[in-house]
Amino acid sequence: STPVEKIDDAYMQRARSLLAKCPTNRLKIYPKLSLEDAIMQAAKQAKPTLSPITQSVYLDTLRDILKVGVRKKLIGTNPAADLRPLKKDNVPADQKRFPWTDDQLKGFFEGKFYRSCAPGASEPYLKPDRAWRFWLPLIMLFTGARPNEIAQLHVSDVRKTPKGTWYLDCNENDDESKNLKTPSSKRRVPLHPVLVQIGLLSFVEERRKSVEGNGPRLFHELKANEYGNFAWYAAKRLNEAFIPAEIALAERQSLYSLRHNVRDALRRAKAPDETLSAIAGWAPNGKTVSSDYGDPKNPDFHVEWVEQIAYPGLDLSFLYGER
């Protein structure tokens, strides 16, 4: 209700202060409370507040909105130009989430659910959530793709280069039904041979035949939430039910941690920085001007490193031939 021309530094400082006190998952925990009331209630209940990184996302959005005000000459300057979170994040970037241990990987991917999905299982798992519950963690484990990058894939995003390398094309589209987290998230990730042996290409072909009735998405069962995230329900179920049913995770471990397992696996294989960037969108350490010459993200250049992604003690051969 505040006219944009009335927004000044005092408003910015108040916004920054509110963000620092705002509880995580506010709308989920306190759906009927105003922001101020939610903050008061969360303080009484000692609820965790937004991390500095999340605060930065909100402040960046506010800054971008006010840029429009400057461009349209509604305000002379952007009062959010230098706004930063009140608290610094003392957790190093590489410790935000921890990868799963070898035992956890083995316990989950060789556990009861995946055994029930093996060819010839005595009691096969046939519930409607089978497709995404089966494939989403496996694709993460061998590609490093984010949950929503996988959940929003179209059948046509599983492609093959002229040289014969199968890959996932992580991309956006103009109607915003597919969105990527950052510009570097746009990439083409070679398929690991284990995914092919387990039957991913057969699954894609099966889904291709049903596009007319079910739409273009590979996992058409998953529906986007109000923020356009197609993985929200799958990630919630995996984190809150399916993963705990097989293994116990420690603090800072979740489904998302599998991206960290992929990075560690590529490091063990001594993959070059440009491969780390091309495969999962991680920023390379030693980027030079020539790094962007040609087609550095060509799947043919990186497939040899993806093929070396492996996890000690994990044997998924019991799934080979899965359809």
Side-chain angles (χ1 to χ4, degrees):
S1 62
T2 304
V4 67
E5 65 269 16
K6 297 293 185 181
I7 296 177
D8 56 14
D9 183 67
Y11 276 94
M12 294 300 96
Q13 297 306 320
R14 179 171 181 268
R16 185 169 70 155
S17 176
L18 287 172
L19 273 177
K21 300 173 185 175
C22 184
T24 59
N25 299 311
R26 175 177 69 89
L27 296 178
K28 177 181 177 181
I29 301 174
Y30 308 114
K32 297 182 179 180
L33 298 184
S34 67
L35 176 60
E36 290 81 356
D37 289 343
I39 288 173
M40 291 179 59
Q41 188 65 22
K44 292 178 182 178
Q45 298 177 344
K47 297 288 187 182
T49 55
L50 297 177
S51 71
I53 287 182
T54 303
Q55 292 178 49
S56 290
V57 172
Y58 282 107
L59 294 177
D60 288 346
T61 302
L62 175 59
R63 187 178 302 110
D64 288 343
I65 291 173
L66 294 179
K67 280 182 183 178
V68 178
V70 174
R71 189 171 71 245
K72 291 182 176 294
K73 302 187 185 319
L74 298 174
I75 50 178
T77 59
N78 187 343
D82 299 315
L83 210 60
R84 297 293 181 269
L86 281 175
K87 297 179 181 178
K88 290 185 177 181
D89 197 340
N90 296 320
V91 181
D94 62 353
Q95 294 184 24
K96 298 295 182 185
R97 289 185 179 89
F98 294 139
W100 291 12
T101 67
D102 293 341
D103 287 341
Q104 287 172 327
L105 291 174
K106 185 176 179 65
F108 180 74
F109 288 101
E110 295 184 27
K112 183 178 179 181
F113 168 70
Y114 280 102
R115 293 287 174 184
S116 71
C117 293
S122 58
E123 297 182 18
Y125 189 89
L126 300 174
K127 293 182 180 180
D129 62 6
R130 184 187 188 281
W132 59 259
R133 181 177 174 181
F134 181 87
W135 284 114
L136 196 148
L138 280 171
I139 294 174
M140 287 187 69
L141 184 66
F142 289 104
T143 66
R146 298 176 178 89
N148 194 49
E149 291 172 342
I150 299 168
Q152 69 182 6
L153 283 172
H154 286 189
V155 172
S156 59
D157 291 329
V158 182
R159 303 179 179 178
K160 184 167 63 171
T161 68
K163 290 188 176 181
T165 300
W166 284 97
Y167 65 94
L168 299 182
D169 189 354
C170 297
N171 59 72
E172 295 182 300
N173 52 9
D174 293 336
D175 64 8
E176 297 185 353
S177 62
K178 287 195 295 183
N179 296 283
L180 297 178
K181 185 176 181 179
T182 65
S184 64
S185 298
K186 185 177 180 180
R187 60 201 191 282
R188 290 162 287 166
V189 186
L191 289 185
H192 195 284
V194 166
L195 292 176
V196 176
Q197 288 178 294
I198 290 175
L200 180 58
L201 296 181
S202 298
F203 171 71
V204 172
E205 185 56 34
E206 174 189 316
R207 289 296 166 107
R208 196 186 310 279
K209 295 175 182 177
S210 64
V211 164
E212 186 174 343
N214 295 318
R217 298 192 182 282
L218 185 59
F219 299 100
H220 55 75
E221 302 91 343
L222 296 174
K223 308 302 179 184
N225 63 6
E226 59 185 304
Y227 306 109
N229 189 317
F230 285 88
W232 71 274
Y233 177 74
K236 176 182 173 66
R237 290 295 292 155
L238 282 159
N239 282 320
E240 296 181 0
F242 299 152
I243 294 173
E246 304 281 9
I247 59 172
L249 293 180
E251 186 178 359
R252 297 186 192 170
Q253 285 184 319
S254 67
L255 171 70
Y256 203 94
S257 298
L258 294 177
R259 270 177 58 82
H260 295 255
N261 285 96
V262 172
R263 184 162 193 168
D264 285 351
L266 288 170
R267 283 169 169 163
R268 287 195 296 271
K270 303 190 185 308
D273 281 346
E274 64 178 12
T275 293
L276 295 178
S277 175
I279 296 306
W282 293 299
N285 295 323
K287 184 173 181 178
T288 63
V289 174
S290 63
S291 298
D292 291 328
Y293 288 1
D295 185 6
K297 294 189 177 182
N298 187 329
D300 294 327
F301 297 161
H302 307 288
V303 64
E304 65 174 298
W305 299 109
V306 169
E307 290 175 348
Q308 295 183 54
I309 293 175
Y311 302 99
L314 180 62
D315 181 7
L316 298 179
S317 60
F318 69 94
L319 291 174
Y320 289 176
E322 196 277 333
R323 294 291 183 268

